[in-house]
Amino acid sequence: VSCEPNPTLAARLADRFGHAGRVEIVNAAMGRSAGTARLHVPRYRGYEFDGLASLDPVMAESWLSAGRIARFDPRLLEVLHHDVAVTPLDALDLAPDLIKIDTQGTELEVVMGGLGTLERSRPVVIIERPGEALVHVLGRLGLMPWGWDGRRMVAG
């Protein structure tokens, strides 16, 4: 199951994998509760950085900057907006072995909407930079953080 809020990317995923029968594409953002939200997609010089899209407008805009792009011109940065459905993970009624959460700043909201799923299934959860609050919430479920030290995975 792949949850993709960006309607353009969800359509591409469905075209590529939806016919396989084993892949389900959910065109929604994951969050704490059901509803709608605005997805912010940065575009610079006409290129959409869909991997930096976020429900958090500051996160969507902040990565593209003079510190990261040579000769950055802020006048060439724009942000596209899509109103998207939001669904809590628990509403999907899954029993996953593995969950990857990459939501550009709203990972805690995803986890809070999936506490039942996480407690019931105890999956491996992959989060790029979980932050202290998220580590605390997952720790209450008995899940502990691991990281890569350059050679191997270490508890951390």
Side-chain angles (χ1 to χ4, degrees):
V1 176
S2 176
C3 303
E4 175 55 60
N6 185 321
T8 303
L9 295 182
R12 284 186 202 156
L13 286 169
D15 285 346
R16 177 135 189 204
F17 299 107
H19 308 293
R22 295 179 15 195
V23 177
E24 179 184 349
I25 310 301
V26 176
N27 184 199
M30 296 292 101
R32 188 181 296 246
S33 57
T36 59
R38 181 157 280 189
L39 179 70
H40 309 276
V41 184
R43 178 162 60 182
Y44 184 68
R45 293 185 181 264
Y47 179 80
E48 285 186 37
F49 287 81
D50 48 47
L52 299 176
S54 178
L55 298 180
D56 179 341
V58 174
M59 289 296 295
E61 290 181 36
S62 64
W63 199 88
L64 299 174
S65 64
R68 296 203 167 145
I69 298 176
R71 289 180 254 155
F72 178 76
D73 183 346
R75 296 172 300 178
L76 300 175
L77 175 64
E78 57 186 316
V79 179
L80 308 176
H81 307 283
H82 301 284
D83 290 327
V84 299
V86 178
T87 302
L89 176 61
D90 286 344
L92 299 179
D93 195 29
L94 301 172
D97 294 316
L98 175 98
I99 297 174
K100 177 183 177 262
I101 304 172
D102 185 1
T103 58
Q104 300 302 101
T106 61
E107 291 81 3
L108 181 58
E109 294 297 307
V110 174
V111 167
M112 296 308 290
L115 290 173
T117 300
L118 293 168
E119 190 168 28
R120 185 177 62 255
S121 298
R122 314 237 343 119
V124 171
V125 181
I126 299 171
I127 302 171
E128 186 177 15
R129 289 186 179 92
E132 191 173 317
L134 191 46
V135 169
H136 177 74
V137 169
L138 292 171
R140 288 194 330 237
L141 297 173
L143 300 172
M144 61 185 271
W146 287 73
W148 182 253
D149 74 355
R151 294 187 338 262
R152 61 190 164 98
M153 296 297 292
V154 293

